[in-house]
Amino acid sequence: MSDESQELGITESKSHKPGDWYAEVVQKAGLADYAPMGGFIVTKPRGYALWEGIQDALDSEFKATGVDNVYFPMFIPESFLEREKDIVEGFDPEVAWVTHGGHDELEERLAVRPTSESIIAPFMADWTRSHRDLPLRLNQWCSVVRWEATETKPFFRTKEFMWQEGHTAHASNEGAWDEVWTRLGQYENLYEDVLAIPVLRGKKPEHDKFPGADTTTTVEALMPDGKSVQGATSHNLGQSFAEAFDITFADEDEEERTAYTTSWGLSWRAIGALIMTHSDDQGLVLPPTIAPTQVVIVPIWQDDTKDDVLEYSQNIADDLEAAGFRVELDDRDERNPGFKFNEHELNGVPLRLEIGPYEVEDEEVTLVHRPDNEEAVEDRDEIVESVDDHLETVYAKLYATAEENLEENIRTADSPEDIMGTIGKHGGYVKVPWCGDEACEEAIKEKVAAEIVMQPLEEEGGQTAAKPKAPEDDDATCAVCGEPAEEIAYFAKSY
């Protein structure tokens, strides 16, 4: 390997120093850089392209199910925020405040939105008069600020982050529940069908639900380092926000009713999960569904074969682009093939096409998979179909590896020592019977910084959809305190 190829290399190990490795991949693959203010990042074109891919996938699903996009101000008057006391109490330590406009002190402080229920709900109230106005489904793509004093971890932990937040109003609780499950299902599909990450779906325990919500549902993804990522959440807010902001409507009998509302969101934490799940010690690994460049063509020539190789490569690039693939023809003179291989490997391009004089002569193409460097030789005449097949295979490989990691890392425990020992040794999820008392979670959290990240649910649908699954043993006792247990909980360390 040449010196110039070594410049591209990842120096940290994913298995030994996952935090340092992750930061190096993010920077060397050109996804993001650190801003001059602590807790903020600069998202570079390749990183933002991943967010756009996620946005495109979700936005089309939202619109197909009746959602309209809107945009609300990033500043929320303090009096608006205070109308929902649980929101104030839940986010108060993390709210950034604007107190001055220019040199003048503001008459009322403005919160930089930590979430937008308190600014959107009053307008939902204005726009809702009759049952004919419902359901009302709004979504905005924006950034929010939560002033957490945590170490910056691009896409996982930043004070400002990109997300989408959906807000809906319904005539009935059943309608609200249908909304909750629709959005949770769309998030699950995004992770499993676009990001190649299997997820678990369930609910947060009562003490960890969204401030002001009746129920918070979640999809959770397990990272290779044994930590869980909250992939997205969908909240049934019941009538608390509607009552606080007077979201009412006249029903068919002209009786005034209070609406039921939901909110749901996914942030660019999904990008962090994507990087952490699939990437390796050579750099970024991306599934073809989301990769900004799906296929890179690297021509390999000597002076006497250059024209033929480049013409052959360009024709293949044209055919693939016409078929809808995102293709790059890397015909740079100043870089040798070894450097190009390493650079595109670092940047996570799923499929590399190598074309030299032998491929031209034999009317073939050599294809190399990014995840494992598996090679194949295919006929030139069938290159479009072959590339499609190989990209599907790459996706399947990534999903299978992530699925194996998940399946192998769900364990059970029946005592506090067992829970802590299992998490300490293996990480992953520990599935236990639980009495429902927050104190039992705290007892574990204090010792090993693991918490209840998810509770699997009984059959979904209707107004009792958020009931946690019961242990299979009718006489099960809580794995922490030994009291009777009627619920199942998953403990894990989390991002």
Side-chain angles (χ1 to χ4, degrees), residues 173 176-177 180 212-217 234-239 260-263:
N173 192 32
W177 272 118
V180 167
D214 275 9
T215 306
T216 289
T217 66
S234 183
H235 316 285
N236 188 329
L237 304 177
Q239 293 181 303
Y260 295 82
T261 65
T262 78
S263 66

Short mmCIF file of all heavy atoms in Angstrom, two decimals, residues 173 176-177 180 212-217 234-239 260-263:
data_model
loop_
_atom_site.label_atom_id
_atom_site.label_comp_id
_atom_site.label_asym_id
_atom_site.label_seq_id
_atom_site.Cartn_x
_atom_site.Cartn_y
_atom_site.Cartn_z
N ASN A 173 -59.85 8.71 20.64
CA ASN A 173 -58.63 8.08 21.13
C ASN A 173 -58.21 6.95 20.20
O ASN A 173 -57.01 6.74 19.95
CB ASN A 173 -58.86 7.54 22.55
CG ASN A 173 -57.56 7.14 23.23
OD1 ASN A 173 -56.51 7.72 22.99
ND2 ASN A 173 -57.65 6.14 24.09
N ALA A 176 -56.35 8.38 17.39
CA ALA A 176 -55.00 8.76 17.80
C ALA A 176 -54.10 7.52 17.87
O ALA A 176 -52.94 7.57 17.44
CB ALA A 176 -55.04 9.47 19.15
N TRP A 177 -54.63 6.42 18.41
CA TRP A 177 -53.83 5.20 18.47
C TRP A 177 -53.48 4.68 17.08
O TRP A 177 -52.34 4.24 16.83
CB TRP A 177 -54.55 4.11 19.26
CG TRP A 177 -54.28 4.17 20.73
CD1 TRP A 177 -55.18 4.38 21.73
CD2 TRP A 177 -53.00 4.05 21.36
NE1 TRP A 177 -54.55 4.39 22.94
CE2 TRP A 177 -53.21 4.19 22.75
CE3 TRP A 177 -51.70 3.84 20.90
CZ2 TRP A 177 -52.17 4.12 23.68
CZ3 TRP A 177 -50.66 3.77 21.81
CH2 TRP A 177 -50.90 3.91 23.18
N VAL A 180 -50.56 6.64 15.98
CA VAL A 180 -49.33 6.23 16.67
C VAL A 180 -48.72 5.00 16.01
O VAL A 180 -47.51 4.96 15.73
CB VAL A 180 -49.62 5.94 18.16
CG1 VAL A 180 -48.45 5.22 18.82
CG2 VAL A 180 -49.92 7.24 18.90
N GLY A 212 -45.74 14.99 29.29
CA GLY A 212 -47.11 15.31 28.93
C GLY A 212 -47.83 14.22 28.17
O GLY A 212 -49.04 14.33 27.92
N ALA A 213 -47.14 13.15 27.77
CA ALA A 213 -47.76 12.10 26.97
C ALA A 213 -48.48 11.09 27.84
O ALA A 213 -48.14 10.89 29.01
CB ALA A 213 -46.70 11.39 26.13
N ASP A 214 -49.48 10.43 27.25
CA ASP A 214 -50.08 9.26 27.89
C ASP A 214 -49.17 8.05 27.73
O ASP A 214 -48.97 7.27 28.65
CB ASP A 214 -51.44 8.96 27.26
CG ASP A 214 -52.56 9.78 27.88
OD1 ASP A 214 -52.25 10.69 28.68
OD2 ASP A 214 -53.73 9.53 27.55
N THR A 215 -48.63 7.89 26.52
CA THR A 215 -47.80 6.74 26.20
C THR A 215 -46.75 7.14 25.16
O THR A 215 -47.05 7.89 24.23
CB THR A 215 -48.64 5.59 25.60
OG1 THR A 215 -49.72 5.28 26.48
CG2 THR A 215 -47.79 4.35 25.37
N THR A 216 -45.54 6.63 25.32
CA THR A 216 -44.48 6.81 24.33
C THR A 216 -44.11 5.44 23.78
O THR A 216 -43.69 4.56 24.53
CB THR A 216 -43.25 7.48 24.94
OG1 THR A 216 -43.55 8.85 25.22
CG2 THR A 216 -42.06 7.43 23.97
N THR A 217 -44.27 5.27 22.47
CA THR A 217 -43.82 4.05 21.82
C THR A 217 -42.49 4.32 21.13
O THR A 217 -42.16 5.46 20.80
CB THR A 217 -44.85 3.52 20.80
OG1 THR A 217 -44.97 4.46 19.71
CG2 THR A 217 -46.20 3.33 21.46
N SER A 234 -43.03 7.56 18.88
CA SER A 234 -44.37 7.96 18.48
C SER A 234 -45.22 8.02 19.74
O SER A 234 -45.35 7.03 20.44
CB SER A 234 -44.93 6.95 17.47
OG SER A 234 -46.20 7.34 17.00
N HIS A 235 -45.77 9.20 20.03
CA HIS A 235 -46.41 9.45 21.32
C HIS A 235 -47.93 9.62 21.17
O HIS A 235 -48.39 10.38 20.30
CB HIS A 235 -45.88 10.74 21.97
CG HIS A 235 -44.40 10.90 21.90
ND1 HIS A 235 -43.54 10.18 22.71
CD2 HIS A 235 -43.62 11.70 21.12
CE1 HIS A 235 -42.29 10.55 22.44
NE2 HIS A 235 -42.31 11.45 21.48
N ASN A 236 -48.67 8.93 22.02
CA ASN A 236 -50.08 9.25 22.19
C ASN A 236 -50.16 10.27 23.32
O ASN A 236 -49.85 9.95 24.47
CB ASN A 236 -50.89 8.00 22.53
CG ASN A 236 -52.39 8.28 22.52
OD1 ASN A 236 -52.84 9.38 22.82
ND2 ASN A 236 -53.17 7.25 22.17
N LEU A 237 -50.56 11.49 22.99
CA LEU A 237 -50.59 12.56 23.98
C LEU A 237 -51.93 12.65 24.70
O LEU A 237 -52.10 13.53 25.56
CB LEU A 237 -50.29 13.91 23.29
CG LEU A 237 -48.96 13.97 22.52
CD1 LEU A 237 -48.82 15.33 21.85
CD2 LEU A 237 -47.78 13.71 23.45
N GLY A 238 -52.85 11.74 24.35
CA GLY A 238 -54.15 11.79 25.00
C GLY A 238 -54.82 13.13 24.76
O GLY A 238 -54.80 13.66 23.64
N GLN A 239 -55.39 13.71 25.83
CA GLN A 239 -56.06 15.01 25.70
C GLN A 239 -55.35 16.11 26.48
O GLN A 239 -55.85 17.24 26.55
CB GLN A 239 -57.51 14.89 26.18
CG GLN A 239 -58.36 13.99 25.28
CD GLN A 239 -59.80 13.91 25.74
OE1 GLN A 239 -60.07 13.52 26.88
NE2 GLN A 239 -60.74 14.26 24.87
N TYR A 260 -58.03 14.52 20.61
CA TYR A 260 -56.90 13.70 21.06
C TYR A 260 -55.73 13.99 20.12
O TYR A 260 -55.92 14.09 18.90
CB TYR A 260 -57.26 12.20 20.98
CG TYR A 260 -58.37 11.79 21.93
CD1 TYR A 260 -59.71 12.00 21.59
CD2 TYR A 260 -58.08 11.19 23.15
CE1 TYR A 260 -60.73 11.64 22.45
CE2 TYR A 260 -59.09 10.82 24.01
CZ TYR A 260 -60.41 11.04 23.67
OH TYR A 260 -61.43 10.67 24.53
N THR A 261 -54.54 14.11 20.67
CA THR A 261 -53.41 14.48 19.83
C THR A 261 -52.26 13.46 19.93
O THR A 261 -52.17 12.70 20.89
CB THR A 261 -52.87 15.88 20.18
OG1 THR A 261 -52.32 15.87 21.50
CG2 THR A 261 -53.97 16.92 20.08
N THR A 262 -51.41 13.49 18.92
CA THR A 262 -50.20 12.67 18.91
C THR A 262 -49.03 13.53 18.45
O THR A 262 -49.21 14.59 17.85
CB THR A 262 -50.31 11.47 17.93
OG1 THR A 262 -50.11 11.93 16.58
CG2 THR A 262 -51.65 10.77 18.04
N SER A 263 -47.84 13.08 18.76
CA SER A 263 -46.64 13.63 18.12
C SER A 263 -45.66 12.50 17.90
O SER A 263 -45.71 11.49 18.60
CB SER A 263 -46.02 14.75 18.96
OG SER A 263 -45.50 14.26 20.19
#
